[in-house]
Amino acid sequence: MSTAASETSAGATSTAQTHTSTSTNRRQPFGQGFLDTISTGWAERPDQVPPARDQAPFAAARRDAVSAAFPGRRVVVPAGELKQRSNDTDYPFRAHSAFAHLTGWASDAEPGSVLVFEPLSAGGHDVTLYFRERADRTTSEFYSDASIGEFWIGPRPALDGVAADLGVATAHVDDFESRDGDLVVDEDDDLTRFVSELRLVKDSYEVAQMELAVQVTASGFDDIVANLPAIIEHPRGERVVEGVFHQRARSDGNTVGYDTIAASGPHACYLHWTRNDGAVVPGDLILIDAGVEVDSLYTADITRTLPVSGRFTDVQRKVYETVREAADAAFAAARPGVMFRSVHEAAMRVIAARVAEWGLLPVTADEALDADRGGQHRRYMVHGTSHHLGIDVHDCAQARRDMYYDGLLEPGMVFTIEPGLYFQIDDVTVPEEYRGIGVRIEDDILMTADGPVNLSAGIPRTADEVEAWMLRLGAH
């Protein structure tokens, strides 16, 4: 039974005769016998003080950076609250990315938690994590509150256990008080920008988590290819693609890092097609943009475009290999010390050259690449080529432009390379044979001191490799 449907006794009262004031007519009073006995007959809870988790020292170093950046200021980083989906059901909780990054508390973080940096007169900060500790079984919260009661949602963590687990002092959230002058993430621009820029360069723990996210995502793509016959058979095959990938994400990770794009045929030309209600038809291409978020909340972001019948047509192959050529050019341009936007510019030079060569532009490729008067080629690739990646799929989004798009690539940065070509089904500027073809190839790149490493290179990329992959996994 669902949480919402089972909430028939959430209005417990101190007497058997009265009801709690409520907006729902489903809540029932408890009998006096229940009230007299519910707080007794429970075994002692063992003290569970775990060792610090692997990310604890990394999170501590990040907190030190925040403390150094805001001397004498009280800094508040909320985890966020549950968000309503409909009526009395909520979306699955995910902590704010800055909170998760600074605490190391990830998929198991508690809603309503707050990380507080209290300035010290001698300098630095005293850091405390406030959260709602598990309820004493003698209180009605234990059995009557469907949002936080342990009878409903399962055990909640204890203060001592979390303190040992994360390596940070803890206190009950009821002891937290906001104050005038607090710097609060998402309310203060300087703080929001700083915690975003703090994630531009990943530490070794983060890199390992990105590698894990890519590994699980690769398995999800294998699952899709292996299930292609069933996908084709279903009238809403795009939904089946989404479901197959989601099963892998939930079984081997936390969830998907973003809504899966399963875009077959002309749907592939819609950049963020997440409706996923179309058929997957042999002869078409299907563009799949998907990433697994692992338990640490780090996510992959990978796109592959597959020929549903197992083999590309000549026109599909030409478009596909052009996109791969653009991706390879972008990868070759990525080096430490190079401007981040140079990666996009390298891909655009290939895209402009090829669509001009095919006679699709009213100007030359060089004219199209003119920063002020050009851009005609962007009709067929309107999006950027790269974005930072990490605990958010579009990580570091509040960073300053001169640290991001106009910033320099550094070892430890993780970003995507994802050029594409999209010829809308009703675009009369292109020959009919191109219309309805959408191709994107997206890989996750780690910059090292020796140059870029393609973390997702193990997922087939070339047209020949894709066809062999589909044949090997029995898709056709």
Side-chain angles (χ1 to χ4, degrees):
M1 60 184 172
S2 71
T3 300
S6 64
E7 190 187 345
T8 58
S9 56
T13 64
S14 58
T15 71
Q17 287 77 32
T18 60
H19 290 266
T20 300
S21 177
T22 179
S23 60
T24 176
N25 61 7
R26 297 186 299 108
R27 300 188 179 189
Q28 304 297 321
F30 291 108
Q32 190 63 53
F34 175 89
L35 297 171
D36 290 342
T37 61
I38 186 60
S39 62
T40 63
W42 303 103
E44 288 293 322
R45 294 177 176 179
D47 291 331
Q48 294 181 340
V49 180
R53 62 180 67 188
D54 291 343
Q55 59 265 52
F58 296 97
R62 300 164 197 155
R63 293 194 294 273
D64 288 344
V66 171
S67 178
F70 298 94
R73 303 297 304 273
R74 190 173 192 248
V75 174
V76 177
V77 184
E81 300 285 355
L82 290 166
K83 294 183 179 179
Q84 183 184 38
R85 182 181 185 275
S86 65
N87 191 27
D88 55 357
T89 60
D90 297 315
Y91 287 104
F93 178 71
R94 184 196 188 277
H96 190 290
S97 295
F99 176 90
H101 190 240
L102 294 172
T103 61
W105 221 3
S107 61
D108 54 342
E110 285 291 304
S113 304
V114 187
L115 183 69
V116 178
F117 295 72
E118 200 75 56
L120 300 172
S121 57
H125 290 80
D126 214 2
V127 183
T128 303
L129 173 60
Y130 295 87
F131 68 95
R132 184 175 298 282
E133 189 185 20
R134 58 184 166 191
D136 189 295
R137 285 168 171 165
T138 63
T139 67
S140 62
E141 178 187 306
F142 169 57
Y143 58 84
S144 69
D145 192 317
S147 296
I148 59 176
E150 293 183 62
F151 232 131
W152 296 89
I153 65 170
R156 297 206 314 262
L159 294 176
D160 289 346
V162 172
D165 184 13
L166 302 181
V168 64
T170 58
H172 198 287
V173 72
D174 288 348
D175 297 333
F176 167 71
E177 294 181 1
S178 61
R179 301 176 190 167
D180 292 340
D182 284 351
L183 298 180
V184 184
V185 167
D186 287 344
E187 295 178 15
D188 180 86
D189 290 343
D190 289 340
L191 175 60
T192 301
R193 182 169 58 246
F194 182 84
V195 296
S196 190
E197 292 174 354
L198 189 59
R199 303 202 301 271
L200 282 166
V201 175
K202 271 60 180 176
D203 56 42
S204 59
Y205 174 81
E206 293 177 287
V207 170
Q209 291 302 300
M210 294 301 303
E211 292 171 338
L212 176 60
V214 169
Q215 175 187 328
V216 181
T217 299
S219 297
F221 273 89
D222 282 346
D223 296 340
I224 292 169
V225 174
N227 281 276
L228 200 53
I231 290 165
I232 293 170
E233 184 178 348
H234 198 283
R236 293 201 293 181
E238 292 174 344
R239 280 288 157 91
V240 182
V241 170
E242 178 185 338
V244 166
F245 189 82
H246 187 263
Q247 179 176 347
R248 176 66 66 172
R250 287 292 285 162
S251 61
D252 292 7
N254 181 45
T255 186
V256 291
Y258 53 95
D259 288 342
T260 296
I261 297 169
S264 188
H267 292 166
C269 301
Y270 305 129
L271 303 181
H272 284 172
W273 176 262
T274 56
R275 193 180 306 167
N276 299 345
D277 60 358
V280 177
V281 180
D284 285 344
L285 299 177
I286 180 168
L287 185 157
I288 304 161
D289 186 334
V292 172
E293 176 188 276
V294 291
D295 290 336
S296 61
L297 302 186
Y298 288 83
T299 184
D301 180 9
I302 295 166
T303 307
R304 290 295 185 264
T305 306
L306 313 176
V308 177
S309 61
R311 296 188 67 84
F312 294 96
T313 67
D314 290 343
V315 174
Q316 290 170 347
R317 177 179 279 266
K318 180 170 72 169
V319 175
Y320 183 93
E321 287 293 89
T322 292
V323 173
R324 184 176 67 85
E325 180 187 358
D328 290 348
F331 183 83
R335 291 290 181 272
V338 169
M339 271 195 173
F340 186 76
R341 58 183 169 86
S342 299
V343 176
H344 174 71
E345 292 165 353
M348 286 296 94
R349 286 192 290 271
V350 173
I351 296 296
R354 292 292 171 259
V355 294
E357 177 185 301
W358 301 342
L360 306 185
L361 298 184
V363 296
T364 67
D366 287 341
E367 289 171 323
L369 290 166
D370 183 271
D372 295 322
R373 299 194 299 173
Q376 291 85 349
H377 60 297
R378 296 296 301 278
R379 178 187 183 101
Y380 311 116
M381 183 185 153
V382 73
H383 61 80
T385 303
S386 297
H387 60 78
H388 282 272
L389 181 66
I391 207 165
D392 279 338
V393 65
H394 294 151
D395 210 19
C396 317
Q398 283 74 43
R400 290 165 290 182
R401 183 182 176 90
D402 62 352
M403 295 285 287
Y404 197 124
Y405 190 67
D406 292 335
L408 302 181
L409 290 173
E410 299 179 42
M413 288 182 170
V414 179
F415 54 93
T416 66
I417 290 179
E418 50 177 309
L421 277 171
Y422 314 90
F423 302 111
Q424 300 280 344
I425 193 69
D426 56 353
D427 189 344
V428 296
T429 69
V430 300
E432 188 173 354
E433 62 183 355
Y434 289 93
R435 297 175 198 168
I437 292 178
V439 172
R440 182 162 65 251
I441 302 171
E442 179 179 19
D443 286 295
D444 298 346
I445 311 301
L446 167 66
M447 184 57 69
T448 74
D450 298 323
V453 174
N454 186 345
L455 299 179
S456 49
I459 306 175
R461 296 180 69 252
T462 72
D464 287 344
E465 288 171 349
V466 168
E467 290 179 345
W469 178 33
M470 299 179 73
L471 182 63
R472 183 176 70 255
L473 291 183
H476 295 279

